[in-house]
Amino acid sequence: QFKVATQFGKTVLSPATQVRNVTSASMFPLANGHIGGRSSVTESLKMVMDDIFGAGKQIDEKKFIENLENKIRLGVIDENIVASELQAVLKEIKSGAKVKNLDSLLAKLSETKMIKTATRIYAGGDNLWKWYGHEYVKSQMKSMYKNVDDIAKWTEEITGRKFVPTNTFTGAKKTFDEAVDEAAAWQIRNTYPTYSKVPQIIQDIRKLPFGNFVSFPAEMIRTTYNILSIGAKEATSSNAQLRQNGYRRLLGAFVTLGGAEK
């Protein structure tokens, strides 16, 4: 319990760590090549939201809830996400009034009631980028593929598994949008930190009085390997556009692992 209290104080209740959590989590989109063109991180977020919710400053609440529920079902974001917290941040980014760069984004995430909201922000820092990454990958895939058969071929080539043509929840045949949703979710679960993927031995170490924050390094090892492995598969694909994505992912990984520090 002392270890838990110490770690809680050093993470959730630490303003420095809250800032570092949101900032460092933005390195996952970079490592995967999910930041495009000449736009900044927050501009990329705004463009993604414009695609989903339409141009303008408001977010359609019904669309937002449906979008969020779908991502929770697919395992893209954690079930402990508080929708109102993320929605408030997205509204500010979309309006462009108070959130114009990474510093103002961090400030907005921190302007909340101390204890009650600190944990929500900490979880939200990761989930914000995973939400964004999932939408980015869906956009990439929809520009490359046109039908379910294309996604089936991608599944076998990149994941090494057979494509399941039926929706496990409804039993009906998957639509193109559903197939893209699942394919993009697979990429995010395997290239962004997903703590439900932490192996049992790491989960057991967490319960011991030593071994601080072992889940994060474990996820770093898993995701770094997956980013390089998936990037290499994409770069040697028979699909020219997918090869471009592979080069983009590998360049992002090399910048994050070496260039960013310089």
Side-chain angles (χ1 to χ4, degrees), residues 10-229:
K10 287 162 68 176
T11 54
V12 175
L13 299 182
S14 163
T17 311
Q18 289 278 15
V19 169
R20 187 173 68 234
N21 187 46
V22 180
T23 308
S24 63
S26 70
M27 299 298 275
F28 288 98
L30 177 60
N32 282 283
H34 293 164
I35 293 171
R38 296 175 177 83
S39 63
S40 68
V41 180
T42 46
E43 283 171 344
S44 292
L45 273 167
K46 189 177 184 305
M47 283 189 284
V48 167
M49 285 190 290
D50 283 343
D51 282 346
I52 302 166
F53 303 113
K57 297 183 177 181
Q58 295 304 310
I59 285 180
D60 183 322
E61 192 160 333
K62 186 171 181 290
K63 267 189 184 177
F64 173 78
I65 297 299
E66 286 172 358
N67 187 286
L68 198 62
E69 284 176 344
N70 186 47
K71 283 175 175 39
I72 291 168
R73 180 179 63 79
L74 291 168
V76 174
I77 54 181
D78 301 328
E79 291 182 18
N80 67 350
I81 179 95
V82 179
S84 59
E85 291 295 322
L86 181 55
Q87 189 176 8
V89 175
L90 296 184
K91 273 183 181 175
E92 292 294 341
I93 296 170
K94 201 157 167 58
S95 70
K98 296 178 183 174
V99 179
K100 293 179 181 175
N101 52 45
L102 205 55
D103 286 342
S104 53
L105 171 62
L106 296 172
K108 189 64 196 169
L109 284 168
S110 303
E111 286 170 9
T112 45
K113 292 173 187 174
M114 181 64 179
I115 304 289
K116 186 180 176 185
T117 322
T119 311
R120 297 176 182 180
I121 298 168
Y122 200 75
D126 289 334
N127 285 315
L128 175 71
W129 299 117
K130 286 157 93 173
W131 181 90
Y132 162 77
H134 186 236
E135 293 298 336
Y136 196 100
V137 173
K138 279 166 61 179
S139 180
Q140 279 183 326
M141 297 193 84
K142 282 180 179 178
S143 71
M144 286 191 290
Y145 304 117
K146 302 301 174 194
N147 53 53
V148 175
D149 289 340
D150 289 342
I151 303 299
K153 187 177 178 183
W154 174 90
T155 302
E156 291 184 23
E157 186 177 2
I158 302 302
T159 72
R161 299 179 308 185
K162 283 280 185 188
F163 177 75
V164 179
T166 54
N167 187 310
T168 51
F169 294 93
T170 63
K173 278 201 167 184
K174 283 177 189 168
T175 64
F176 175 63
D177 284 343
E178 287 172 341
V180 168
D181 254 7
E182 289 189 7
W186 179 89
Q187 290 190 53
I188 298 304
R189 287 197 309 270
N190 286 287
T191 59
Y192 285 54
T194 306
Y195 294 107
S196 59
K197 294 275 186 187
V198 171
Q200 189 60 47
I201 187 167
I202 301 297
Q203 293 180 33
D204 292 339
I205 291 171
R206 284 192 306 201
K207 298 170 188 173
L208 301 174
F210 53 84
N212 279 353
F213 311 114
V214 288
S215 297
F216 187 72
E219 276 300 276
M220 290 306 92
I221 294 166
R222 186 182 75 90
T223 54
T224 301
Y225 172 80
N226 285 342
I227 288 167
L228 295 173
S229 173

